[in-house]
Coordinates of all heavy atoms in Angstrom, one line a residue:
D140 N 81.5 96.3 107.3 CA 81.1 95.6 108.6 C 82.0 96.0 109.7 O 81.6 96.0 110.9 CB 81.3 94.1 108.3 CG 80.2 93.6 107.4 OD1 79.2 94.3 107.1 OD2 80.3 92.4 107.0
A141 N 83.3 96.4 109.4 CA 84.2 96.8 110.5 C 83.9 98.2 111.1 O 84.2 98.4 112.3 CB 85.6 96.8 110.0
I142 N 83.3 99.1 110.3 CA 83.1 100.5 110.8 C 81.6 100.7 111.1 O 81.3 101.8 111.7 CB 83.6 101.5 109.8 CG1 82.9 101.4 108.4 CG2 85.1 101.4 109.6 CD1 83.2 102.5 107.4
Y143 N 80.7 99.9 110.7 CA 79.3 100.1 111.0 C 79.1 100.0 112.5 O 79.6 99.2 113.2 CB 78.4 99.0 110.3 CG 77.0 99.0 110.8 CD1 76.1 100.0 110.3 CD2 76.6 98.1 111.7 CE1 74.8 100.0 110.7 CE2 75.2 98.1 112.2 CZ 74.4 99.0 111.7 OH 73.0 99.0 112.1
R144 N 78.3 100.9 113.1 CA 77.9 100.9 114.4 C 76.4 101.0 114.5 O 75.8 101.9 113.9 CB 78.5 102.1 115.2 CG 80.0 102.1 115.2 CD 80.6 101.0 116.1 NE 82.0 101.0 116.1 CZ 82.8 100.4 115.3 NH1 82.3 99.7 114.3 NH2 84.1 100.4 115.4
P145 N 75.7 100.1 115.3 CA 74.3 100.2 115.4 C 73.8 101.4 116.2 O 74.6 102.0 116.9 CB 73.9 98.9 116.1 CG 75.2 98.5 116.9 CD 76.3 99.0 116.0
G146 N 72.6 101.8 116.0 CA 72.0 102.9 116.8 C 72.1 104.3 116.1 O 71.7 105.3 116.7
Y147 N 72.6 104.3 114.9 CA 72.7 105.6 114.2 C 71.9 105.6 112.9 O 71.6 104.5 112.3 CB 74.2 105.8 113.7 CG 75.1 106.1 114.9 CD1 75.9 105.0 115.4 CD2 75.3 107.3 115.5 CE1 76.8 105.2 116.5 CE2 76.1 107.6 116.5 CZ 76.9 106.5 117.0 OH 77.8 106.7 118.1
A148 N 71.4 106.8 112.5 CA 70.7 106.9 111.3 C 71.6 107.4 110.2 O 72.0 108.6 110.1 CB 69.5 107.9 111.5
Y149 N 72.0 106.5 109.3 CA 73.0 106.8 108.3 C 72.4 107.5 107.1 O 71.3 107.1 106.7 CB 73.7 105.5 107.9 CG 74.6 104.9 109.0 CD1 74.1 103.9 109.8 CD2 75.9 105.4 109.2 CE1 74.9 103.4 110.8 CE2 76.6 104.9 110.3 CZ 76.1 103.9 111.1 OH 76.9 103.4 112.1
S150 N 73.1 108.5 106.6 CA 72.6 109.3 105.4 C 73.3 109.0 104.2 O 72.9 109.4 103.1 CB 72.6 110.8 105.8 OG 73.9 111.2 105.9
K151 N 74.6 108.5 104.2 CA 75.4 108.4 103.1 C 76.5 107.4 103.2 O 77.0 107.1 104.3 CB 76.1 109.8 102.8 CG 76.9 109.9 101.6 CD 77.5 111.3 101.5 CE 78.3 111.5 100.2 NZ 78.9 112.9 100.1
A152 N 76.8 106.7 102.1 CA 77.9 105.8 102.0 C 78.8 106.3 100.8 O 78.3 106.9 99.8 CB 77.5 104.4 101.8
E153 N 80.1 105.9 100.8 CA 81.0 106.4 99.8 C 82.0 105.3 99.6 O 82.5 104.6 100.5 CB 81.7 107.6 100.2 CG 82.7 108.2 99.3 CD 83.4 109.4 99.8 OE1 82.8 110.5 99.6 OE2 84.5 109.3 100.4
V154 N 82.4 105.1 98.3 CA 83.4 104.1 97.9 C 84.4 104.9 97.1 O 84.1 105.6 96.1 CB 82.8 102.9 97.1 CG1 83.9 102.1 96.5 CG2 81.9 102.1 98.0
L155 N 85.7 104.7 97.4 CA 86.8 105.3 96.7 C 87.7 104.1 96.1 O 88.2 103.3 96.9 CB 87.7 106.2 97.5 CG 87.2 107.6 97.9 CD1 88.2 108.2 98.8 CD2 87.0 108.4 96.6
L156 N 87.9 104.1 94.8 CA 88.9 103.2 94.2 C 90.2 104.0 94.0 O 90.2 105.1 93.4 CB 88.4 102.7 92.9 CG 87.1 101.8 92.9 CD1 86.8 101.3 91.6 CD2 87.2 100.7 94.0
M157 N 91.3 103.6 94.6 CA 92.5 104.4 94.7 C 93.7 103.6 94.1 O 93.6 102.4 93.8 CB 92.8 104.8 96.1 CG 91.6 105.5 96.8 SD 91.9 106.0 98.5 CE 92.1 104.4 99.3
D158 N 94.8 104.3 94.0 CA 96.1 103.7 93.5 C 95.8 103.1 92.1 O 96.1 101.9 91.9 CB 96.6 102.7 94.5 CG 98.1 102.3 94.1 OD1 98.7 103.0 93.3 OD2 98.5 101.2 94.5
L159 N 95.1 103.8 91.2 CA 94.7 103.3 89.9 C 95.9 103.4 89.0 O 96.6 104.4 88.8 CB 93.6 104.1 89.3 CG 92.3 104.2 90.2 CD1 91.2 104.9 89.4 CD2 91.8 102.9 90.7
R160 N 96.1 102.3 88.3 CA 97.2 102.2 87.3 C 96.7 101.4 86.1 O 95.8 100.6 86.2 CB 98.4 101.6 87.9 CG 98.9 102.2 89.2 CD 100.3 101.6 89.6 NE 100.5 101.9 91.0 CZ 101.5 101.4 91.7 NH1 102.4 100.6 91.1 NH2 101.7 101.6 93.0
Q161 N 97.4 101.6 85.0 CA 97.1 100.8 83.8 C 97.6 99.4 84.0 O 98.6 99.1 84.7 CB 97.7 101.5 82.6 CG 97.1 102.9 82.3 CD 95.6 103.0 82.2 OE1 95.1 102.5 81.2 NE2 94.9 103.5 83.2
R162 N 97.1 98.5 83.2 CA 97.5 97.1 83.2 C 99.0 97.1 82.8 O 99.4 97.7 81.9 CB 96.8 96.2 82.3 CG 95.3 96.0 82.7 CD 94.6 95.1 81.7 NE 93.2 95.0 82.1 CZ 92.8 94.0 83.0 NH1 93.7 93.2 83.5 NH2 91.5 93.9 83.3
G163 N 99.8 96.3 83.6 CA 101.2 96.2 83.3 C 102.1 97.2 84.1 O 103.3 97.0 84.1
E164 N 101.4 98.1 84.8 CA 102.2 99.1 85.7 C 102.4 98.5 87.1 O 103.2 99.1 87.8 CB 101.4 100.4 85.7 CG 101.4 101.1 84.4 CD 100.8 102.5 84.5 OE1 100.2 102.8 85.6 OE2 100.8 103.3 83.5
F165 N 101.6 97.5 87.5 CA 101.8 96.9 88.8 C 102.9 95.8 88.7 O 103.0 95.1 87.7 CB 100.5 96.3 89.3 CG 99.5 97.3 89.8 CD1 98.5 97.7 89.0 CD2 99.6 97.8 91.0 CE1 97.5 98.6 89.4 CE2 98.7 98.7 91.5 CZ 97.6 99.1 90.7
T166 N 103.7 95.7 89.8 CA 104.7 94.6 89.9 C 104.0 93.5 90.6 O 103.5 93.7 91.8 CB 105.9 95.1 90.7 OG1 106.5 96.2 90.0 CG2 106.9 94.0 90.8
G167 N 104.0 92.3 90.0 CA 103.3 91.2 90.6 C 104.0 90.7 91.8 O 105.2 90.8 92.0
D168 N 103.3 90.0 92.7 CA 103.8 89.4 93.9 C 103.7 87.9 93.8 O 102.6 87.3 93.6 CB 103.0 89.9 95.1 CG 103.6 89.3 96.5 OD1 104.4 88.3 96.4 OD2 103.3 89.9 97.5
L169 N 104.8 87.2 93.7 CA 104.8 85.7 93.5 C 104.0 85.0 94.6 O 103.5 83.9 94.4 CB 106.2 85.2 93.5 CG 107.1 85.6 92.3 CD1 108.5 85.1 92.4 CD2 106.5 85.1 91.0
F170 N 103.9 85.5 95.8 CA 103.3 84.8 96.9 C 101.9 85.3 97.2 O 101.2 84.8 98.1 CB 104.1 85.0 98.2 CG 105.6 84.6 98.0 CD1 106.6 85.5 97.8 CD2 105.9 83.2 98.0 CE1 107.9 85.0 97.6 CE2 107.2 82.8 97.8 CZ 108.2 83.7 97.6

């Protein structure tokens, strides 16, 4: 919604999942 601009004929969308880690590799945030 933030990057869509009306008036254009869109041909493609892309999604990237990044900073992938296994469970337990992330440090939790208490807040």
Side-chain angles (χ1 to χ4, degrees):
D140 290 351
I142 61 175
Y143 169 81
R144 299 290 181 270
Y147 293 97
Y149 293 95
S150 65
K151 184 178 182 180
E153 177 181 277
V154 170
L155 283 176
L156 301 183
M157 305 180 295
D158 191 20
L159 304 188
R160 306 185 202 176
Q161 300 301 291
R162 292 181 180 275
E164 292 183 354
F165 283 100
T166 301
D168 185 340
L169 293 175
F170 303 101

